[in-house]
């Protein structure tokens, strides 16, 4: 499981994306990003999650997000990407 940091804004996005991409290589067939720890974030968090999804699909793995905060779910809806961030079972 990939664990998102407490703070994920534009300033942290690039480093977080690199860290998660590296961690994703060790994940089995399904990659789950745990967003329960997110406290301070902006739309860059969506960009990071979408990049993780893209990378997972390139590796032939399924991708899901667990515990997406309501505000981030709303942002995903506004940007039209909510369907790409499937909730984890």
């Amino acid at each position: 499981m990939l664990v998102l940091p407490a703070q994920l804004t534009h300033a942290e996005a690039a480093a977080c994306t690199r860290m998660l991409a590296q961690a994703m290589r060790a994940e089995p067939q399904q990659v789950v990003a745990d967003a329960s720890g997110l406290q301070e974030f902006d739309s860059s968090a969506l960009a990071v999650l979408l990049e993780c999804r893209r990378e997972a699909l390139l590796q032939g793995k399924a991708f899901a997000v667990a515990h997406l905060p309501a505000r981030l779910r709303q942002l995903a809806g506004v940007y039209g990407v909510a369907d790409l961030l499937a909730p984890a079972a």
Side-chain angles (χ1 to χ4, degrees):
M1 181 173 290
L2 306 178
V3 179
L4 298 178
Q7 182 172 332
L8 183 47
T9 62
H10 179 71
E12 298 85 25
C16 185
T17 299
R18 286 190 300 273
M19 175 193 69
L20 294 173
Q22 186 174 25
M24 191 180 310
R25 292 185 193 107
E27 293 294 311
Q29 296 293 60
Q30 181 177 18
V31 176
V32 177
D34 181 2
S36 63
L38 277 177
Q39 296 175 8
E40 184 180 339
F41 55 87
D42 59 19
S43 60
S44 297
L46 289 177
V48 169
L49 288 170
L50 291 171
E51 178 60 23
C52 286
R53 178 184 182 276
R54 185 188 72 76
E55 185 63 32
L57 295 177
L58 283 174
Q59 293 178 23
K61 300 175 183 180
F63 181 78
V65 181
H67 313 291
L68 195 65
R71 200 181 77 181
L72 194 54
R73 198 172 322 117
Q74 290 172 337
L75 274 176
V78 168
Y79 287 111
V81 298
D83 291 345
L84 299 177
L85 301 175

